[in-house]
Amino acid sequence: MKHYDVIIIGGGPAGLAAAIRASKNASVLLIEREARLGGILKQCIHDGFGVVRFGEKLSGPEYADRFIKEIDKTNVEISLLSFVTDVTRTDKYELTYVCENGVRRVTCDKLILATGCRERTKNGIFIQGDRCSGVYTAGAAQNLVNMMGVMPGKRVVILGSGDIGLIMARRLTFEGAEVLGVYEAKPTPSGLTRNIHQCLRDFDIPLYLSKTVTRVFGANRLEKVEISDVDDKMRPIPGTEQIIECDTLVLAVGLIPENELANDLSVKLDYKTKGAIVDQNCQTLSDGIYACGNALHVNDLVDYVSESGETAGGNASLPNKERKLVPVEVKGKIMYIVPQMLDLNSPLDKVITYFRASEDLTGQKLTVKVGGQTVFNKSYLKLLPPEMERVVIDYSKADLSSGRIVISLEDK
Amino acid sequence: MEMVCIVCPNGCRLKVDNSAEGVKVAGAKCKRGEAFAQTELTNPMRSVTSSVKTTVKNYPVVSVRTDGEIPKSKIFDLIKELSEFTLDKKVPIGTILIKNVLNTGINVITTTEMI
Amino acid sequence: MNLQKKINEAYKKLGIKITALENDRSIVLNGECGDWQKIVDAGKLFVDKKSGKHVVNDIKYTTRQETPPYLPALKDEKLNGTEWDVVIIGGGISGCSVARELTKFDLKVLLCEKHSDVAHGASGANDGMVHAGIDIKRQCKKLYYGVRGNAMYDIVCKDLGVEFERAGQYVVFTSRLIKLLGRSYLRRAKKHNIPGVEIIGKKEICRIEPKVKDFAVGALKIITTGAVSPYKLTIAYAENAVQNGATVSLNTAVLSINRTDDEITSVVTNRGTVKAKCVVNCAGVFADQIAEMAGDRYFSIHPRKGVDLLMDSKANGLPSNAISLAPTFKTLKQNKNTKGGGIIKTVDGNILLGPNAREVFDREDTSTQTSDINEVFDKQSRCCPSMQKSGIIAYFAGVRAPSYEEDFIIERSSEIKNLIHVAGIQSPGLTAAPAFSVDVAELAVEYLKSSGCDVKLNTDFNPVRNAPVCAKTLTDAERDELIKSNPDYGKIICRCEEVSLGEIKNAINNPLGVRTIDGVKRRVRAGMGRCQGGFCMPLVVKAIAEETGVSYSSVDKGDMGSYVAIGNIKEI
């Protein structure tokens, strides 16, 4: 069995960044399921990628290509069309994967999970009705249009105002479909504000809030959908039903980190992010297992996906060290933070922390306290749940053994 | 009036005051926001991403974008131009497919490395 | 039966004015009503177990017209002028099992199915439980064939290469009194020759299924209860029939039937008129309409919808066995038409909840409603309170095809000599099929012989249909060898269910000629996992298109017209 210092599962933006960084100090194997590297970026042909990192508005494939060109210069071994079927922990990690050549077994000291995320489905949100064709997740619709070059339909309703839904509204409009509207069950949009503007407003596509699709009709192909108003708990209100004739329903109702392997390995997950609980090095509570990118938490910018990949790859390539983990607590209207733990035996001067507000907020102050002492604060004019925030916190001067670490969000 | 800057993912909320003395912009985190507001008022510009058909195996379509911004009003003319274009061989990423499209001075380039 | 008394009763109880006529075989009801449930209730009033006469319920539903039945948008002459010994109408478990049993004889057998795949109706949308028969109180065809069928499952599934698990079932008693009454099950089991039924104590059931420890006082343990994939078994029967010489014609709907006084001469389909020496009506919810086409409608089918919920195998709080609560006096009164469903463990290891039972006007309406989901979940979670609603990953509805007598009708018509009805097949129809299909085949053969045909055995009959390759269940060494023989087995297309391109290609090239996304899904589970096809659907479309040489836009999800793409971009 061939041994590697680091094995990375997933060749999307997180895995690519992790592999490139890890290869500076370690032997690396990158395992990718598909025939080409790049993950979901391959089909995200819209632009806006890399603004933070490269200061350019690249399309998804271009962003991926920068990393692919980079990885070609390293000694990372890449196994394409390879699917991990089993991971077992011994004194190291033993992986089994299948590829065109057969079943392969390899071992490693550190394992990085960069498995991305998946989309919520129609069943996951309880849409009732017929079992016709014409209902797609946004990702599937994007694949059909951008990879296979076919149109799903002509009259389109989009449920969910997540970014992919907005992007698909514009994309389908470009290709001649009539997008009848984007419906969002929440009272506020789920996607980035700029996407609301450049994908919907630019093309006069209406956005309806506090409404959801409750039923689909169609003998073979979708013929119409039923839309209902929802109450403040997002439950449909009987009597508000409205029928819209359409042949296509695109669901952009959220993403869930893909964590099957993490589950199999009993890696402890955060029920809020649905990804692993990690320290500032993206190492999970299971020693030697790292999680990064959208497998860790769903990001809205790929730039931060790559960043967490680099964090994971960088640390995984270093020799093992005993960890001393302490939790980071959260107070106030914060949906989640990453990392949820700090390793006191690792550098603490530049702890990259991501968080999301739990609701639309104005005039907020983020405060980080250690044992009651403020070590960091930042003011925000406006915070929206769809827009992830990133701060770099310096804990190095605080006495972390002295008290609880609390991150709070309060009215200014 | 209010406006959302679409230059970068920050999506700054701009307060734009368009009076005789000129355009005043508040709320932009950077200079690009001010410039955005200016052009948005006079001649809104957008970069466009789409795809073109190909006859290359495994690539029914290949992704493209404009290498700069074109007037928003010309988006659908561009889309039409793209639908009439067929790529018949593999080209490296960034290859110019249509030069000076619609006389905008902007080119259409491929954004996928065809391997 | 005193018809006038029943007519009065219907008026008093249901407020419907009915006329009733009795003939040799049936009691025919007429009248009008705007409430479908009441029409069904009226039909039930006239069931006469003693005379064995069937209820034909022609009470008109005045609220709305019946939705026209699904007909494939296809008209050709593919079958026109062909001649068959036996024509089977309907490709559910009944039709497919009968087809396979008939191929043991040297006969020309045609099975017509109007949908794009077999098992499209109730056979494809039920919980897959292979019943022991313990719920059936008295002797009837359901019991006779149910018990016999159950005993045949091991061999049938082994022959047909279908996974079958006899994991048993536990009916949990919630009070001492119920447990005491549970002894009647033991007597019944003995009387009806159902083996392996016993009562176990609180300690035992709580050890086997800790999820019920808060309320269980004991349980009825039924070891012969099993689980099978109902559509996989139906598909396997059909494929084995085809291997042995039968013809399965999909997208083929029976439009009318030509006959003389007492004999069917030919069957008209959208793909031409076929001559038939003998016809077997296995049309499920349409069995009475097919009977009518033959001028032989002496029973009625009243569609009854049931919804099942599929739980995520990784969800918390799931039980690990098939369990249900023993009926109490209260629940017995509430619903006589379902045993109340239960929690079932499928052969794939998933937990399934259901089904409920709702009388519905439309025979093909398999839509679900929020109320169904809530009803099933609320009811079944009583048996396992730790389950969470968020664990539901999929749900589906099937429409059962009961007669008013609530028993199978398996017989040769007394009026049309070459017509055999296999009607009123509902639970435990799946369990019973291996048994009744043998008898139905015999009925057909007997008739053909009596009409002067020389029916020989099919000496080439091979009962074995090889199970499709399932790479993920192989050992690493076996899988390695398989991939070396064909690299497609190493390319994983469906990541959730770990299905390779090789397996998907096998499914596409199935002997029935089903070339749809749903066809692939049912055969190899691609798209059945947690992403519900979000990732692999486009890849399956690609595989079907490449394998069959059609464009992506020609690929259907299921039936004709269920396209997933309308054409190439830039061209529309």
Side-chain angles (χ1 to χ4, degrees):
Chain A
M1 257 185 282
K2 189 156 181 192
H3 181 82
Y4 299 85
D5 296 331
V6 181
I7 291 182
I8 297 156
I9 304 177
L16 284 167
I20 292 165
R21 180 59 64 87
S23 69
K24 296 188 197 308
N25 304 309
S27 62
V28 180
L29 172 67
L30 175 64
I31 300 178
E32 164 57 38
R33 212 168 35 76
E34 294 187 61
R36 287 158 59 198
L37 293 170
I40 205 71
L41 289 177
K42 293 192 297 291
Q43 66 182 55
C44 297
I45 67 166
H46 56 281
D47 67 356
F49 297 90
V51 175
V52 176
R53 189 179 191 95
F54 300 117
E56 286 179 70
K57 282 205 279 188
L58 302 172
S59 67
E62 288 173 297
Y63 184 93
D65 191 63
R66 301 250 168 137
F67 288 83
I68 294 167
K69 298 255 153 80
E70 192 71 28
I71 207 167
D72 284 344
K73 296 181 210 151
T74 68
N75 55 5
V76 172
E77 275 183 48
I78 299 167
S79 188
L80 296 172
L81 284 171
S82 301
F83 185 90
V84 175
T85 55
D86 186 56
V87 185
T88 312
R89 183 171 194 165
T90 52
D91 53 331
K92 44 192 184 259
Y93 293 99
E94 283 183 32
L95 279 79
T96 309
Y97 66 92
V98 297
C99 60
E100 283 178 285
N101 303 317
V103 181
R104 293 290 161 85
R105 296 187 70 190
V106 285
T107 60
C108 63
D109 294 324
K110 309 278 182 69
L111 182 64
I112 299 181
L113 303 174
T115 45
C117 58
R118 70 184 140 92
E119 299 180 275
R120 284 177 72 198
T121 66
K122 166 170 157 266
N123 290 328
I125 52 170
F126 292 103
I127 296 178
Q128 305 298 327
D130 296 326
R131 308 173 73 75
C132 46
S133 75
V135 182
Y136 311 82
T137 62
Q142 192 177 45
N143 188 328
L144 289 175
V145 177
N146 292 346
M147 305 304 285
M148 296 171 70
V150 291
M151 273 300 270
K154 281 180 188 158
R155 283 174 65 82
V156 184
V157 164
I158 296 181
L159 175 62
S161 58
D163 286 312
I164 334 168
L166 305 175
I167 298 287
M168 282 314 292
R170 178 177 64 181
R171 186 76 193 101
L172 291 165
T173 303
F174 279 178
E175 296 302 341
E178 189 185 352
V179 179
L180 303 166
V182 175
Y183 293 84
E184 170 61 59
K186 287 189 227 125
T188 52
S190 299
L192 297 174
T193 315
R194 69 191 280 261
N195 283 336
I196 306 275
H197 282 259
Q198 63 181 359
C199 297
L200 302 188
R201 300 249 169 105
D202 271 4
F203 306 98
D204 298 321
I205 299 166
L207 170 64
Y208 302 98
L209 299 172
S210 300
K211 283 178 192 286
T212 192
V213 173
T214 39
R215 211 172 153 82
V216 296
F217 303 89
N220 297 311
R221 175 70 187 194
L222 183 67
E223 289 157 19
K224 53 196 180 182
V225 297
E226 177 191 88
I227 309 264
S228 298
D229 293 356
V230 297
D231 63 17
D232 52 3
K233 292 204 173 85
M234 297 215 287
R235 290 170 306 203
I237 304 169
T240 61
E241 297 85 358
Q242 167 195 4
I243 298 290
I244 295 183
E245 282 181 28
C246 59
D247 62 14
T248 303
L249 173 64
V250 173
L251 304 172
V253 287
L255 302 167
I256 307 166
E258 187 75 281
N259 271 304
E260 292 308 296
L261 283 171
N263 269 323
D264 292 348
L265 288 160
S266 306
V267 171
K268 206 160 178 334
L269 302 186
D270 179 342
Y271 72 94
K272 288 186 279 189
T273 58
K274 305 213 164 37
I277 296 172
V278 293
D279 65 17
Q280 72 267 40
N281 300 313
C282 292
Q283 188 166 185
T284 68
L285 298 187
S286 307
D287 284 338
I289 302 180
Y290 293 74
C292 56
N294 284 345
L296 176 56
H297 64 128
V298 176
N299 290 255
D300 31 71
L301 293 186
V302 71
D303 308 67
Y304 299 137
V305 167
S306 303
E307 183 177 66
S308 71
E310 284 168 341
T311 304
N315 194 264
S317 65
L318 302 175
N320 274 331
K321 224 168 54 177
E322 183 82 10
R323 284 194 288 172
K324 187 178 176 192
L325 295 172
V326 292
V328 181
E329 294 171 45
V330 168
K331 229 174 78 185
K333 291 167 179 166
I334 297 177
M335 191 195 297
Y336 71 72
I337 56 155
V338 173
Q340 301 88 338
M341 307 291 282
L342 290 180
D343 171 23
L344 304 188
N345 292 344
S346 287
L348 288 155
D349 54 334
K350 281 182 199 146
V351 174
I352 300 168
T353 300
Y354 308 103
F355 75 95
R356 282 180 199 274
S358 56
E359 55 189 87
D360 283 18
L361 299 168
T362 51
Q364 294 293 305
K365 190 171 172 187
L366 182 81
T367 310
V368 183
K369 287 184 178 171
V370 179
Q373 295 286 99
T374 301
V375 299
F376 178 90
N377 64 60
K378 187 175 177 182
S379 295
Y380 292 89
L381 280 176
K382 199 169 169 74
L383 285 171
L384 302 173
E387 302 189 354
M388 194 182 82
E389 298 293 334
R390 171 186 182 274
V391 289
V392 182
I393 303 168
D394 181 1
Y395 290 98
S396 62
K397 289 167 194 79
D399 180 7
L400 289 160
S401 51
S402 70
R404 292 157 59 194
I405 305 165
V406 182
I407 298 188
S408 63
L409 200 56
E410 282 153 0
D411 290 341
K412 225 171 22 188
Chain B
M1 67 184 291
E2 298 222 2
M3 203 181 270
V4 172
C5 175
I6 59 169
V7 174
C8 85
N10 280 334
C12 290
R13 285 147 194 88
L14 310 178
K15 269 213 164 102
V16 186
D17 189 11
N18 189 11
S19 63
E21 296 112 70
V23 181
K24 274 188 197 158
V25 183
K29 283 184 191 163
C30 75
K31 285 218 169 113
R32 288 181 296 175
E34 288 173 32
F36 169 78
Q38 292 276 6
T39 54
E40 192 68 8
L41 281 175
T42 51
N43 181 24
M45 303 287 281
R46 296 287 184 270
S47 42
V48 179
T49 57
S50 186
S51 59
V52 297
K53 310 185 277 277
T54 94
T55 52
V56 180
K57 192 170 178 272
N58 292 329
Y59 289 90
V61 284
V62 69
S63 61
V64 299
R65 68 174 168 92
T66 53
D67 62 0
E69 292 180 329
I70 64 161
K72 193 174 136 185
S73 56
K74 288 196 174 174
I75 289 178
F76 283 96
D77 296 332
L78 172 71
I79 294 296
K80 188 159 177 284
E81 193 109 334
L82 293 179
S83 67
E84 282 157 12
F85 188 94
T86 302
L87 181 66
D88 57 3
K89 58 176 188 293
K90 274 189 190 179
V91 294
I93 187 170
T95 301
I96 295 176
L97 296 187
I98 307 174
K99 237 189 166 135
N100 185 22
V101 68
L102 302 166
N103 283 319
T104 53
I106 295 295
N107 307 313
V108 174
I109 59 169
T110 63
T111 60
T112 291
E113 190 70 83
M114 301 168 79
I115 49 170
Chain C
M1 177 183 270
N2 185 335
L3 286 182
Q4 194 52 50
K5 211 173 121 194
K6 290 282 173 188
I7 290 169
N8 294 344
E9 195 183 333
Y11 186 67
K12 228 164 106 186
K13 273 191 187 162
L14 305 164
I16 319 178
K17 279 187 185 162
I18 297 174
T19 59
L21 286 170
E22 199 168 348
N23 61 34
D24 291 352
R25 296 189 290 176
S26 322
I27 297 158
V28 183
L29 308 182
N30 271 289
E32 281 193 348
C33 179
D35 182 336
W36 180 252
Q37 182 62 49
K38 281 187 180 168
I39 293 175
V40 175
D41 289 343
K44 287 178 186 168
L45 273 180
F46 286 84
V47 171
D48 184 0
K49 289 253 157 74
K50 234 184 259 167
S51 73
K53 285 187 183 175
H54 297 274
V55 173
V56 172
N57 192 345
D58 281 341
I59 303 173
K60 195 172 179 284
Y61 182 48
T62 52
T63 302
R64 63 185 169 88
Q65 297 250 305
E66 194 165 346
T67 316
Y70 165 81
L71 289 176
L74 176 71
K75 210 170 161 43
D76 63 19
E77 302 287 303
K78 190 189 97 173
L79 297 171
N80 204 30
T82 52
E83 292 179 23
W84 305 89
D85 294 314
V86 185
V87 170
I88 299 164
I89 303 170
I93 185 67
S94 305
C96 295
S97 59
V98 167
R100 189 260 194 169
E101 292 309 316
L102 279 169
T103 56
K104 289 179 177 166
F105 301 91
D106 187 14
L107 294 170
K108 278 192 76 188
V109 177
L110 170 71
L111 185 151
C112 299
E113 165 56 49
K114 69 173 182 170
H115 289 285
S116 62
D117 197 354
V118 296
H120 191 280
S123 305
N126 69 77
D127 59 24
M129 192 179 230
V130 177
H131 294 272
I134 195 74
D135 306 283
I136 306 167
K137 292 198 184 78
R138 41 191 95 69
Q139 202 47 254
C140 59
K141 282 188 177 139
K142 276 184 180 175
L143 179 67
Y144 176 72
Y145 286 118
V147 174
R148 277 177 68 204
N150 180 300
M152 293 167 75
Y153 253 78
D154 302 271
I155 187 143
V156 162
C157 289
K158 188 167 169 270
D159 278 350
L160 295 176
V162 177
E163 225 181 320
F164 169 60
E165 220 169 304
R166 216 182 264 286
Q169 171 195 10
Y170 300 89
V171 182
V172 178
F173 303 128
T174 50
S175 75
R176 290 245 175 92
L177 181 66
I178 297 291
K179 187 177 172 184
L180 216 61
L181 292 170
R183 295 190 183 282
S184 65
Y185 284 113
L186 299 181
R187 285 194 295 275
R188 196 191 288 169
K190 200 170 164 197
K191 191 173 153 202
H192 296 159
N193 286 321
I194 302 169
V197 181
E198 59 174 303
I199 287 178
I200 57 171
K202 180 182 166 78
K203 225 170 150 185
E204 177 80 350
I205 183 64
C206 295
R207 184 186 59 79
I208 295 167
E209 189 51 73
K211 296 278 186 304
V212 300
K213 67 177 180 342
D214 291 342
F215 50 84
V217 299
L220 188 71
K221 179 179 170 186
I222 308 159
I223 60 164
T224 55
T225 302
V228 72
S229 160
Y231 50 83
K232 279 193 184 166
L233 180 63
T234 308
I235 288 167
Y237 260 124
E239 289 189 359
N240 188 239
V242 169
Q243 279 169 19
N244 286 304
T247 300
V248 171
S249 187
L250 299 170
N251 297 312
T252 305
V254 171
L255 306 174
S256 63
I257 292 173
N258 298 322
R259 63 176 177 108
T260 60
D261 270 358
D262 65 345
E263 189 178 7
I264 293 173
T265 50
S266 63
V267 174
V268 181
T269 78
N270 57 319
R271 316 198 68 175
T273 301
V274 299
K275 279 197 175 156
K277 285 185 188 152
C278 178
V279 173
V280 185
N281 171 14
C282 299
V285 286
F286 289 105
D288 54 346
Q289 293 193 355
I290 292 293
E292 182 157 36
M293 283 182 196
D296 195 41
R297 182 156 165 267
Y298 63 93
F299 55 86
S300 278
I301 301 296
H302 56 106
R304 189 153 66 214
K305 193 191 278 195
V307 172
D308 286 286
L309 313 179
L310 186 70
M311 305 299 289
D312 187 342
S313 51
K314 297 233 160 80
N316 294 321
L318 298 180
S320 39
N321 295 280
I323 50 172
S324 59
L325 293 182
T328 61
F329 296 109
K330 209 174 133 198
T331 55
L332 267 179
K333 258 189 216 155
Q334 279 167 354
N335 198 336
K336 293 181 190 133
N337 291 328
T338 169
K339 296 177 289 294
I343 301 177
I344 295 120
K345 198 169 185 185
T346 70
V347 271
D348 301 306
N350 288 101
I351 291 292
L352 203 68
L353 314 185
N356 61 350
R358 196 149 54 81
E359 296 294 339
V360 291
F361 178 55
D362 290 310
R363 293 164 193 255
E364 293 178 296
D365 178 9
T366 52
S367 64
T368 52
Q369 288 179 11
T370 314
S371 54
D372 293 319
I373 312 290
N374 293 339
E375 182 191 344
V376 172
F377 185 81
D378 293 348
K379 175 155 194 194
Q380 301 310 336
S381 58
R382 259 181 258 152
C383 189
C384 181
S386 54
M387 289 190 299
Q388 283 159 11
K389 220 175 195 166
S390 57
I392 302 171
I393 46 165
Y395 37 81
F396 55 85
V399 184
R400 311 171 180 96
S403 65
Y404 279 96
E405 299 71 46
E406 301 288 344
D407 197 12
F408 301 158
I409 299 167
I410 297 174
E411 61 201 15
R412 186 149 73 88
S413 164
S414 57
E415 305 279 314
I416 309 289
K417 63 183 183 186
N418 62 344
L419 174 60
I420 296 167
H421 294 292
V422 182
I425 307 297
Q426 55 164 325
S427 177
L430 178 70
T431 310
F436 72 63
S437 55
V438 176
D439 283 12
V440 172
E442 216 128 276
L443 277 177
V445 169
E446 259 171 43
Y447 164 73
L448 289 170
K449 280 182 178 166
S450 73
S451 73
C453 294
D454 177 21
V455 183
K456 290 198 188 85
L457 283 178
N458 174 6
T459 47
D460 293 331
F461 178 78
N462 180 1
V464 176
R465 169 223 179 229
N466 291 328
V469 174
C470 180
K472 79 168 169 184
T473 58
L474 302 177
T475 64
D476 286 349
E478 291 166 340
R479 198 171 184 173
D480 188 61
E481 203 173 307
L482 180 71
I483 297 169
K484 291 211 162 80
S485 75
N486 179 357
D488 281 345
Y489 289 114
K491 294 180 192 160
I492 303 295
I493 297 292
C494 168
R495 55 171 90 171
C496 304
E497 295 292 328
E498 214 179 301
V499 187
S500 69
L501 180 61
E503 289 155 89
I504 287 172
K505 282 188 179 174
N506 291 345
I508 294 167
N509 295 310
N510 64 77
L512 303 183
V514 179
R515 311 280 184 254
T516 63
I517 299 168
D518 285 348
V520 169
K521 181 175 169 182
R522 300 164 113 205
R523 282 163 178 78
V524 290
R525 297 186 61 77
M528 258 191 203
R530 53 191 188 280
C531 89
Q532 291 287 300
F535 285 117
C536 69
M537 181 274 279
L539 303 174
V540 171
V541 170
K542 193 163 179 257
I544 293 173
E546 281 169 8
E547 205 61 9
T548 58
V550 301
S551 71
Y552 297 153
S553 314
S554 311
V555 176
D556 283 327
K557 174 182 180 281
D559 276 336
M560 300 180 80
S562 62
Y563 60 90
V564 291
I566 47 168
N568 291 342
I569 62 171
K570 324 282 178 194
E571 286 166 17
I572 33 185

